[in-house]
Amino acid sequence: MIPFLDLKAQYASIKSEIDTAVLGVLASAQYVLGEEVAHLEEEFAAYCDVRHAVAVNTGTSALHLALLAAGVGPGDEVITVPFTFVATVSAVCYTGALPVFVDVEPVTLTMDPGKLEAAITSRTKAIIPVHLYGQMADMDAIMSIAARHDIAVIEDACQAHGAEYDGHRAGSMGVSGCFSFYPGKNLGACGEGGIAVTNNDAHAKTMRMLRDWGQERRYHHVLKGFNYRMDGIQGAILRVKLRHLDAWTAARRAHAIRYSSLLAELGTVKTPVEVAHRRHVYHIYAVQCRDRDGLHRALAAEGIQSGLHYPIPVHLQRAHEDLGYRPGDFPVSETAACTVLSLPIYPEMTARQVEQVVAAMEQDAYVG
């Protein structure tokens, strides 16, 4: 069997480091925030080349706080894409603002800047491009449009730890960037976790207060805040894993290159495109094929796990039918939802396993 990802193998590879870090937190009894989380914030900010990082309990919380720090609230509109995990849109809804969608472009499946300006109104307060699957959106074009209209850009980098756009790290180009540390992410906790990064001193201060019940100092609550604090054990574990992230990214990229080379010879599926000047970190290696569900079943029969990211775009989810969108509103997203299949990819995967996945795909034609 080839799993979609193998978290047990990752733990085994750094077991002594993780165990030591966890025991250190238990000995210190700093279970919520504390020194390990503070050090993680310093180290992750340096990794992203920004001044501040604010650690929280999930990537969704990071997005929520980044929106609030940017002043987003009831009556505002926030533009994002429908082809994303639902958390992007949920964070907008938490603020009371209205999510507004623009379609993705067909090559990278990230926000189509050519459709962005038409969606801007006098109520637009923020734009959230999603760096889907580990490749950054077209940030030059998005930032240019946002600057013309004086709109904040908040990067959803929850799948893009270490991705780059023309040398800029994910999360460093917008007013804020938000990351998830869900266990399966390229940098994943042993539980839930997230972080928001920013170069804006005021936004960082606001997010620090909001994550901890709006406290400016103990028992002095100046904002209506939340319990979004990261626990100390996750902070310690993430500090260990951050030291391995570049090596893990290199392994993911090597597997992606091998996949693309072998699948090009096969010629039956569309492989992901890494755009020039963008460093893809391949959180997901997603191919597109006409009979996606047939390929999904065929791989399962061969003992190979694959994933669907994401089979229903957010504008067609029942939870968001109140937004009034209909099938056909975002055709590129809707086509992707029916054709994208995620193949196994993780640092501990072997080159032989990549070849086995491709060999299993040789048995039938799944033309993209």
Side-chain angles (χ1 to χ4, degrees):
M1 174 183 168
I2 299 178
F4 183 69
L5 77 168
D6 192 344
L7 295 179
K8 290 182 179 178
Q10 185 184 79
Y11 172 59
S13 72
I14 54 173
K15 182 177 184 304
S16 62
E17 295 175 77
I18 294 289
D19 291 354
T20 299
V22 171
L23 290 172
V25 174
L26 295 178
S28 74
Q30 294 187 345
Y31 302 132
V32 179
L33 296 176
E35 289 186 7
E36 291 290 346
V37 173
H39 288 314
L40 171 69
E41 291 176 333
E42 294 168 2
E43 291 159 6
F44 197 73
Y47 184 80
C48 294
D49 195 25
V50 296
R51 287 205 298 273
H52 306 284
V54 181
V56 292
N57 59 342
T58 67
T60 311
S61 299
L63 285 164
H64 185 198
L65 297 191
L67 286 162
L68 292 175
V72 174
D76 295 327
E77 295 178 354
V78 177
I79 300 173
T80 189
V81 292
F83 194 58
T84 180
F85 183 60
V86 70
T88 312
V89 180
S90 296
V92 176
C93 295
Y94 294 168
T95 69
L98 181 71
V100 175
F101 296 125
V102 297
D103 210 348
V104 297
E105 57 90 16
V107 174
T108 64
L109 302 180
T110 58
M111 179 177 280
D112 187 344
K115 296 173 181 172
L116 177 57
E117 201 143 24
I120 293 174
T121 73
S122 60
R123 297 166 60 190
T124 305
K125 197 65 174 284
I127 298 168
I128 306 179
V130 179
H131 303 328
L132 194 75
Y133 300 157
Q135 180 162 233
M136 291 178 69
D138 187 352
M139 290 301 290
D140 277 349
I142 293 168
M143 294 299 293
S144 177
I145 293 168
R148 279 203 301 275
H149 295 271
D150 192 25
I151 298 170
V153 174
I154 295 168
E155 299 175 58
D156 183 338
C158 287
Q159 301 183 354
H161 314 68
E164 294 181 1
Y165 183 101
D166 206 15
H168 299 283
R169 277 279 163 91
S172 68
M173 298 185 73
V175 67
S176 297
C178 301
F179 296 82
S180 166
F181 295 137
Y182 189 74
K185 293 295 168 59
N186 291 24
L187 178 61
C190 294
E192 297 275 9
I195 205 165
V197 301
T198 182
N199 281 312
N200 187 301
D201 298 345
H203 284 212
K205 181 179 179 181
T206 299
M207 289 190 286
R208 288 188 191 285
M209 287 193 291
L210 286 173
R211 75 171 170 185
D212 191 13
W213 297 110
Q215 296 183 97
E216 192 172 42
R217 53 194 171 93
R218 192 163 177 80
Y219 297 131
H220 290 255
H221 303 269
V222 298
L223 298 171
K224 291 182 173 62
F226 308 89
N227 182 6
Y228 283 175
R229 297 168 297 197
M230 176 180 281
D231 69 66
I233 287 177
Q234 301 309 334
I237 289 170
L238 287 163
R239 288 187 70 202
V240 171
K241 290 192 172 188
L242 182 57
R243 296 198 287 268
H244 296 274
L245 181 57
D246 284 341
W248 290 343
T249 298
R252 285 178 180 274
R253 288 179 55 78
H255 293 326
I257 290 169
R258 185 63 175 152
Y259 263 137
S260 294
S261 173
L262 294 173
L263 290 171
E265 294 175 12
L266 202 62
T268 55
V269 297
K270 289 182 180 176
T271 56
V273 174
E274 181 173 359
V275 178
H277 307 296
R278 296 187 213 178
R279 181 180 185 248
H280 200 320
V281 295
Y282 293 101
H283 171 60
I284 297 290
Y285 185 91
V287 300
Q288 294 184 63
C289 53
R290 187 174 56 204
D291 186 9
R292 183 270 310 277
D293 294 336
L295 178 55
H296 188 47
R297 289 191 296 270
L299 289 176
E302 296 290 329
I304 297 169
Q305 293 181 342
S306 55
L308 306 179
H309 303 89
Y310 300 93
I312 305 173
V314 180
H315 70 287
L316 299 181
Q317 296 281 356
R318 281 182 57 192
H320 294 291
E321 61 186 11
D322 59 314
L323 297 175
Y325 292 107
R326 296 288 181 269
D329 284 347
F330 305 104
V332 180
S333 294
E334 292 168 31
T335 297
C338 298
T339 59
V340 165
L341 184 72
S342 308
L343 301 183
I345 191 165
Y346 46 93
E348 298 77 17
M349 195 175 184
T350 66
R352 175 61 184 150
Q353 287 176 311
V354 172
E355 293 166 1
Q356 287 177 311
V357 174
V358 175
M361 297 170 68
E362 290 178 349
Q363 299 175 20
D364 293 286
Y366 300 97
V367 179

